[in-house]
Structures are given as C-alpha cells and as structure tokens.
Amino acid sequence: MSDCYYELIDAADPAGERFAPTDLVRSTWAATMQHAAPVSALLVRALERCRHRTHTRLSRVMVDLLGPVPADGDCWVRAQLERPGRQIELLHAEMLAAGPDGTPRPVARASGWRLQQTDTAELVSTSAQPLRPVAEGHDPDFGKHWDPNYLHSLDWRWLTKPLRESPGESWLRPTVDLVKGESMTPLQRLFAVADDANGIGTKIDTRSWTFLNTDLVVHVHRIPAGDWIGIRAETNYGPDGIGTTIGTLFDEAGAVGGIQQSVLVRRR
C-alpha cells in the first residue's frame, strides 16, 4: 500500500503542479472519486506556498467541491495571490483534472485569508471544552471493510458511539504523507482530516442514506501542535434533503478552530 496521498510528477507543468493520486485518496462513497480531505489538504499546501511571507498565516480557508474529483488520472494544482496587502491578503487555489476531452478543468477551488501575525499571548482563550484524551478513544478499524481507500490512511480513535450520540467526538491522525517525501505542515495535517466532521457528526445510517458535503469552511485561531487532530461535530438535517455540519477542531492542548459544511442528503 502507498505511503502518501499524492506523488508530485511535474512541478513546472504549465497547467500547475502535476500530481498522481494514490489509492489512499479514494472516497468511501465511490472508489472512482477522491475523498475531499486529501483534496482540501493539497489545496492548502498550494495556498501556504503561494508567495509566502514570514510572520503571516492562513486564518480561514473555504473549499468548494465543483463535482466528483476523479481518483484515477493525474491532477493539477495552482494558486495565486488575489488581494495583496501588508496585514491582510486573499489567496486562491484550484485543482484541475482531465475533462471529457482530456483538457484539464477545475474540479475544486479554495480561497484563503492570510493575516499578519503579532503577539497576543495575553489574550489567549477559548470557550470550547477540551476533548477527552486520545488514550480513551476506540479504534473502529474501518479499513477492514473496504478495499484500499482514504480510511486506510488514518489512525482513528472514536470517543463517542457512532450514530448514537450527538455531537460526535473523535481523534484522527494521518499515517501517510500528503505528498510523497514531504512532511505535512500543521495546517496540511489539519485539513487531511477536517472534512471527516460531517461523518463524525452524522445521526443517520450510511446503509440507508448518503450525505455528501459540497464544501468546507475552516477558521483557525491557533495553529495545531502534534500529530493528533480532534473533532467535535454535529450534523443537522432539514426536511428537504439538505443538512449542515458545525464543529470544533482540536489538538491535544485544546480547541484550535471551527468548521462548517453543507451536506446533500439522499435516500439510497
């Protein structure tokens, strides 16, 4: 089994950095499409590398999935600075994949606010109650039920019982590289699991329903430390096939940010 989500094939391709996805990007909904977590992490990598300046960092990233991201065939990622500024900058990144005619076309987009950092240590606070320790979590061994896919890339520790308690709580840790041979940055590691919030917070059974998110919006008030990312999330459902996930993201020291997702709910 591979030890990464993507391999960098050509960093100088005119369409953008060219990557070959591995089996570990495959979604549990369909093996032909990529799970949104590796996609969003790769977009964050592009945002972080785009004309980076010291003493700045991403504070908010919004990812829009424009449709199923193909799991087979190469993909391209590129980024640009849309709104430069001394203290506030807006960046944009997109992933492309081959369309019906073979021409690369956008399949996912991300925008990110990058803010200048300054010392506010005296103001540090968060109202979110911390998660219970990783050691108290249960390994559900999801991978045993699937051919190689995204689930096989995670060390997962559930703190609550899936589908029975709300909000759901879980710890996750990617066990592979985002890009072969590269170490993940803390934000890349966060986004490699953040998209799992809607599954952790779900109240409905996947044997009867599907619930695919079309986006994710993450605000980060503190850069996470360590390998483990915790998620406390709850998915709410309306009467018309539309739901929303709202959650909090953690490291082992406490809350680091929040996440929201739009969810398309359909009966199988």
Side-chain angles (χ1 to χ4, degrees):
M1 190 177 297
S2 175
D3 59 355
C4 63
Y5 293 118
Y6 302 96
E7 295 186 32
L8 179 59
I9 303 301
D10 187 354
D13 192 297
E17 287 188 295
R18 186 174 182 176
F19 296 91
T22 72
D23 285 339
L24 296 180
V25 306
R26 296 186 187 276
S27 171
T28 53
W29 294 118
T32 56
M33 69 181 192
Q34 295 191 37
H35 193 284
V39 172
S40 58
L42 196 62
L43 289 168
V44 165
R45 175 184 178 275
L47 294 174
E48 288 188 308
R49 291 174 171 229
C50 180
R51 297 175 63 176
H52 178 70
R53 296 186 299 129
T54 57
H55 306 300
T56 66
R57 72 163 176 87
L58 293 166
S59 68
R60 188 275 280 157
V61 174
M62 178 172 66
V63 176
D64 286 308
L65 305 169
L66 307 181
V69 178
D72 297 294
D74 292 348
C75 57
W76 295 259
V77 176
R78 59 195 182 194
Q80 64 182 25
L81 179 62
E82 287 195 357
R83 189 269 195 195
R86 185 174 63 86
Q87 297 192 84
I88 302 173
E89 296 178 320
L90 180 64
L91 301 102
H92 175 266
E94 62 181 359
M95 176 182 283
L96 303 94
D101 62 354
T103 302
R105 62 175 183 175
V107 290
R109 293 192 175 115
S111 65
W113 284 111
R114 188 164 64 194
L115 308 185
Q116 186 181 54
Q117 296 169 288
T118 189
D119 184 4
T120 54
E122 64 193 276
L123 305 178
V124 170
S125 65
T126 176
S127 60
Q129 292 297 310
L131 294 182
R132 301 198 309 279
V134 175
E136 295 187 19
H138 165 69
D139 181 4
D141 195 15
F142 287 135
K144 68 181 180 181
H145 302 295
W146 304 87
D147 291 331
N149 66 13
Y150 172 71
L151 292 176
H152 293 83
S153 72
L154 300 176
D155 193 352
W156 202 320
R157 297 289 184 271
W158 276 85
L159 295 171
T160 56
K161 295 179 181 179
L163 307 181
R164 296 182 183 180
E165 300 180 29
S166 183
E169 297 181 348
S170 188
W171 289 103
L172 304 96
R173 177 175 63 178
T175 59
V176 301
D177 295 339
L178 174 60
V179 176
K180 188 176 182 63
E182 294 182 8
S183 295
M184 282 198 221
T185 68
L187 283 183
Q188 290 166 22
R189 186 178 299 107
L190 178 74
F191 277 84
V193 300
D195 185 74
D196 298 320
N198 70 319
I200 291 171
T202 190
K203 306 179 185 70
I204 56 180
D205 194 330
T206 58
R207 292 172 295 184
S208 302
W209 301 89
T210 63
F211 43 93
L212 285 80
N213 60 297
T214 59
D215 63 3
L216 65 154
V217 181
V218 175
H219 288 83
V220 180
H221 67 263
R222 179 171 64 81
I223 296 295
D227 294 338
W228 289 95
I229 300 297
I231 298 177
R232 175 185 292 138
E234 184 169 11
T235 304
N236 299 304
Y237 306 96
D240 54 0
I242 299 171
T244 57
T245 296
I246 299 176
T248 304
L249 305 171
F250 298 83
D251 66 9
E252 292 185 86
V256 300
I259 182 172
Q260 294 184 335
Q261 298 166 288
S262 300
V263 182
L264 180 74
V265 182
R266 291 295 183 266
R267 189 184 299 275
R268 285 194 182 275

